[in-house]
Amino acid sequence: MSGFLRRLISPAAPTLQRDTVRLRLDDAEIDVLRVRDPRARRIKLSVDERGVRLTLPPRASLVMGERFLEQHRDWLSTQLRSYQAQNLPPPLVIGEAGVLPLRGALLPLRWESGRYARLDLDAAGACLHWPARGSEATLRRTLREFYEAQTRADVGQWLPRYLPGLPRAPARLRLKVMSSQWGSLAPDGSMALDLALVLGRPSAFEYVLVHELCHLIQANHSPAFWAEVEQRFPAWRAERDYFQHEGRRLKAMLRQTLTPAP
């Protein structure tokens, strides 16, 4: 079937309707992004470093959404304070010196002219070679490619030591920006890892890799699975605690870094 016919008979992607609601909260007014999503099944309120989002399913009225906001005022205040306390580094601005989060550190970032966009590491930190016509899209793509390359380098360093004793190697590796998970293993052996892992301390990243590799032996979280993890990575509890304290911040830091300031 041709691509044209496939597009012709395929249903159109659902359209999101967006607007903004002003909400008085803790002696201040905040903007709440209200989104009507045809795929949503229930009213949902979420908070991240970009702000507050209220998602409405098709049958929910605006009044129901406003009532939901009122009912969750205390929760919303707590979540917003939590994000304000995360102490994220400032977002990157094209052409301005900043910092680049990587492997548990904030590297000084400088800019130099170049024929095409490229991000390199050196003794002074990180250097972004930047073309005269570079755009925000160019920066997002360059940062994404850089983090993917760094992530694959770490996996390539650690993976060989854990392959002995496994029934097989992962079929492939996919790198994603995940909202809650840190990794997953599909039934076909494909492994997915969160790109935010390379921003945290390397031992925590290595633990997640071992965790997913052990699912090649035990496709569950049974005591037998944790015994496999324990055998290969005895310090896994400390790394799990690290994610409980720092995980949310790492994910927020990645999203902010990949969304440069205009």
Side-chain angles (χ1 to χ4, degrees), residues 31 105 164 173 220:
D31 289 328
L173 173 63
N220 50 53

Side-chain angles (χ1 to χ4, degrees), residues 1-10:
M1 181 184 299
S2 69
F4 172 77
L5 290 177
R6 186 178 296 109
R7 291 192 298 270
L8 186 64
I9 66 176
S10 299

Side-chain angles (χ1 to χ4, degrees), residues 12-32:
T15 301
L16 303 181
Q17 300 175 7
R18 305 168 185 263
D19 63 2
T20 302
V21 179
R22 297 286 288 177
L23 177 67
R24 187 77 180 178
L25 188 69
D26 296 338
D27 298 325
E29 287 191 345
I30 64 171
D31 289 328
V32 177

Side-chain angles (χ1 to χ4, degrees), residues 94-95 111-118 128-135 138-139 141-142:
I94 293 177
W111 300 69
E112 293 184 359
S113 299
R115 296 182 60 186
Y116 57 90
R118 188 180 79 252
L128 218 167
H129 303 272
W130 192 248
R133 297 186 178 182
S135 64
T138 306
L139 182 55
R141 182 177 65 253
T142 303

Side-chain angles (χ1 to χ4, degrees), residues 52 56 58 70 90 129 192 201 224:
V52 182
L56 302 178
E70 289 293 331
H129 303 272
R201 70 187 188 193

